[in-house]
Amino acid sequence: MTRPGRPRCAVVGAGGIGAFFGAQIPAAQGTVVYCARRPFTRLRVDSEIGPFDAPVQCLTDPGSVPADWTGLDWVFVAVKAQHTRSAAPWLARLCSSASRVVSLQNGIEQRETLTPLIGGARLLETAVYCGAELLEPGVVRQRGGARLVTEDVALATELAELFVGTAAVVVERSPDFRTEAWRKLMVNAAANGLTALTRKRMGVLRVAEVGELARAVMTEILPLARADGAQLTAEDVDRALAALRAPGSAEATTSMYQDRLAGRPTEHDAIYGAVARRAERLGVEAPLNRAIGALLTGAC
Ligand SMILES: NC(=O)C1=CN([C@@H]2O[C@H](COP(=O)(O)OP(=O)(O)OC[C@H]3O[C@@H](n4cnc5c(N)ncnc54)[C@H](OP(=O)(O)O)[C@@H]3O)[C@@H](O)[C@H]2O)C=CC1
Ligand SMILES: CC(C)(CO)C(=O)C(=O)O
């Protein structure tokens, strides 16, 4: 239930993104509990504005969620897509129709996946632009800006209010979230797989042949995105590629690169698998995206 006073928030998956955005909620705006696999007792974020510590309350067992927390005000989902099902017990304990759930996950299938797991809660999807990495439980390194693009709905306004007073987070409401979701998927399809497969940072896209491959991967997505109602054009590909290849991005990593380097499973199904499924459904070809997905499946 929504209680008087500060909203209560939970972050399910206290990794780079979950811990970073949880730490950005000012204490005056809400209390945050982290639902994690590995416990931590302090939360330190190292960002370009300097390191700061955030208050920590961490749980590692969904069974330990107090009964009166069901219907928590805000629940942020920040596990990798392949772990959403394993996080279902947290969502079952925390969510009711009174809750607001924010997906911070990459991909275009969050609504489909999360809706059956969140007890009728209102769901806000986001496209997350933020480079964050969990160095160890409770220690996050974040670089560059932190932007959440959402639908232009009342829930997004409430989300923006939660971050009032936090210069580090921008919540941008878009009148055309479908286009924004596909734009983000297109960026992920170009950047995540190619950095993960080459095991190189974003600067690898500045290699001419790799940059051309990234362009082809994104261009292949255009007709699919348009068949799905998104308004993306070749200029969007140009802009996205220019941003990915900017000299200032060369040292940036991607979440998939981080997982590949650490020997963890990668989130390829939420990116390339999603492209393949949508292509199948809409009768569009996507051989390059399928090939990258297949390579990552083999690599993991
Ligand atoms: N990192 C980035 O820069 C960006 C990431 N994203 C997206 O954000 C989402 C989160 O990514 P990111 O933060 O990088 O991922 P991380 O792997 O850093 O964090 C995910 C966290 O979820 C935890 N987890 C996994 N399963 C469970 C479970 N069943 N219950 C509780 N916790 C669990 C993991 O635990 P453990 O630590 O034990 O593995 C990990 O700490 C992804 O969808 C990603 O694509 C989007 C934009 C940028
Ligand atoms: C766009 C990018 C590369 C960083 O925000 C990302 O979404 C990721 O690392 O998964």
Side-chain angles (χ1 to χ4, degrees):
M1 84 199 83
T2 304
R3 303 161 183 84
R6 290 183 300 167
R8 291 208 297 208
C9 313
V11 171
V12 177
I17 290 295
F20 173 77
F21 281 98
Q24 300 306 316
I25 297 172
Q29 305 279 115
T31 57
V32 184
V33 62
Y34 297 90
C35 304
R37 284 202 293 209
R38 294 178 288 163
F40 52 96
T41 52
R42 66 165 203 162
L43 174 50
R44 166 151 288 215
V45 177
D46 168 24
S47 76
E48 280 161 7
I49 54 170
F52 73 94
D53 292 303
V56 172
Q57 189 185 355
C58 176
L59 300 178
T60 53
D61 174 11
S64 66
V65 172
D68 72 333
W69 283 19
T70 304
L72 212 68
D73 299 312
W74 290 94
V75 179
F76 292 84
V77 181
V79 295
K80 290 266 165 52
Q82 65 271 19
H83 295 134
T84 303
R85 300 236 161 255
S86 75
W90 288 111
L91 300 175
R93 289 301 292 242
L94 295 165
C95 300
S96 80
S97 59
S99 307
R100 290 161 276 199
V101 173
V102 180
S103 168
L104 298 174
Q105 298 175 305
N106 274 333
I108 52 167
E109 296 178 332
Q110 296 93 325
R111 188 164 293 279
E112 219 169 295
T113 314
L114 287 172
T115 297
L117 307 178
I118 58 174
R122 287 181 289 158
L123 173 65
L124 187 68
E125 295 168 273
T126 66
V128 179
Y129 291 90
C130 175
E133 184 174 4
L134 187 72
L135 302 179
E136 60 184 83
V139 182
V140 176
R141 179 168 54 207
Q142 190 270 340
R143 290 292 178 263
R147 192 161 60 95
L148 296 178
V149 185
T150 70
E151 282 178 274
D152 191 8
V153 291
L155 195 48
T157 307
E158 294 173 44
L159 179 69
E161 281 162 8
L162 198 60
F163 289 108
V164 163
T166 315
V169 174
V170 174
V171 178
E172 193 178 301
R173 282 149 277 190
S174 165
D176 183 5
F177 183 71
R178 186 175 291 258
T179 295
E180 294 309 324
W182 275 100
R183 188 192 309 284
K184 182 70 204 291
L185 187 70
M186 192 173 80
V187 167
N188 287 134
N192 292 29
L194 301 188
T195 53
L197 286 169
T198 58
R199 294 174 181 264
K200 291 202 167 156
R201 289 168 182 259
M202 206 76 94
V204 74
L205 300 184
R206 292 170 63 78
V207 175
E209 292 85 344
V210 184
E212 281 318 303
L213 178 56
R215 178 189 296 284
V217 168
M218 290 195 278
T219 302
E220 181 178 90
I221 288 177
L222 284 183
L224 177 58
R226 286 203 289 259
D228 202 39
Q231 308 295 317
L232 291 174
T233 66
E235 286 73 54
D236 292 300
V237 171
D238 289 343
R239 270 194 290 273
L241 192 58
L244 292 172
R245 300 183 80 188
S249 301
E251 284 305 306
T253 66
T254 67
S255 51
M256 204 177 278
Y257 163 93
Q258 292 163 17
D259 282 338
R260 179 110 167 93
L261 246 60
R264 296 185 292 255
T266 62
E267 208 178 23
H268 53 275
D269 186 64
I271 309 296
Y272 305 100
V275 169
R277 282 186 285 279
R278 203 57 65 99
E280 188 85 38
R281 201 193 291 174
L282 296 171
V284 177
E285 298 294 321
L288 277 178
N289 281 272
R290 282 181 192 276
I292 295 172
L295 289 172
L296 285 160
T297 304
C300 285

